Amino acid sequence: MRARLSPTPAISMEFKLRDYSPADFETLYAIDQACYPRGIAYSRRMLRWYLSQPGAQCLVAESMGPAGPTLAGFLIGESHRSVGYIVTIDVLEPHRRAGVGSALLAEIERRLGNAGVRRVELQTATNNEAGVAFWQRHGYRSAGVTRGYYLGRIDAYEMFKELDQRGRPATA
């Protein structure tokens, strides 16, 4: 089934989270292409590779609109023992600032915490003000900057968050 990406704002902001299904692949690819510029968005090959990695988890957010459910966004995370990693979080423009990204993140953190992950890491472009603010709002802190991480010219913050066994922020 071909992905349909509507340029109009979502009428309903209701959504539910579910696990990725291989039938979602083309829609996830289309969402990633819509969310990131060329060269930063994943190729089909790389997206498939991330989805197939041991410890990878992908959650999708389905928007409940008048035409039925459509995918509003997704998150790919992975875990290796006590360290988790956010590969990507993609939310289509009409669904941003409606809690979709926050819900995806909270659920993956809960799952990673239940799997024994105590630290979640990610990179985000230093020039992505909305992205940096999103991660900071959710308790992520910068551990440094990697020069030229994106396309060899855009710097990235190395960010992390400590979790407890329930996937909640660890208390100091």
Side-chain angles (χ1 to χ4, degrees), residues 64-123:
M64 304 303 152
T70 58
L71 295 189
F74 70 98
L75 183 149
I76 300 173
E78 60 184 24
S79 61
H80 301 284
R81 297 189 179 105
S82 65
V83 179
Y85 183 73
I86 303 297
V87 174
T88 191
I89 184 168
D90 299 40
V91 177
L92 288 171
E93 184 67 40
H95 303 280
R96 293 182 188 161
R97 293 172 184 73
V100 173
S102 295
L104 286 164
L105 182 59
E107 179 59 15
I108 203 72
E109 287 177 348
R110 185 189 69 75
R111 290 180 181 200
L112 291 172
N114 287 342
V117 167
R118 297 297 168 259
R119 180 183 172 102
V120 180
E121 300 174 347
L122 60 94
Q123 288 84 24

Side-chain angles (χ1 to χ4, degrees), residues 3-129:
R4 292 187 317 173
L5 302 178
S6 172
T8 59
I11 294 169
S12 170
M13 288 297 158
E14 292 181 30
F15 61 90
K16 71 174 186 172
L17 303 182
R18 64 170 174 80
D19 290 318
Y20 163 80
S21 165
D24 298 325
F25 182 80
E26 285 301 320
T27 304
L28 268 57
Y29 175 74
I31 291 171
D32 193 62
Q33 297 299 302
C35 289
Y36 293 99
R38 185 176 178 178
I40 294 176
Y42 291 119
S43 66
R44 281 184 175 87
R45 180 177 172 206
M46 284 305 300
L47 189 58
R48 275 192 183 92
W49 184 81
Y50 278 117
L51 291 166
S52 70
Q53 293 305 293
Q57 297 183 50
C58 180
L59 297 172
V60 298
E62 278 186 327
S63 173
M64 304 303 152
T70 58
L71 295 189
F74 70 98
L75 183 149
I76 300 173
E78 60 184 24
S79 61
H80 301 284
R81 297 189 179 105
S82 65
V83 179
Y85 183 73
I86 303 297
V87 174
T88 191
I89 184 168
D90 299 40
V91 177
L92 288 171
E93 184 67 40
H95 303 280
R96 293 182 188 161
R97 293 172 184 73
V100 173
S102 295
L104 286 164
L105 182 59
E107 179 59 15
I108 203 72
E109 287 177 348
R110 185 189 69 75
R111 290 180 181 200
L112 291 172
N114 287 342
V117 167
R118 297 297 168 259
R119 180 183 172 102
V120 180
E121 300 174 347
L122 60 94
Q123 288 84 24
T124 194
T126 57
N127 65 356
N128 179 357
E129 293 177 16

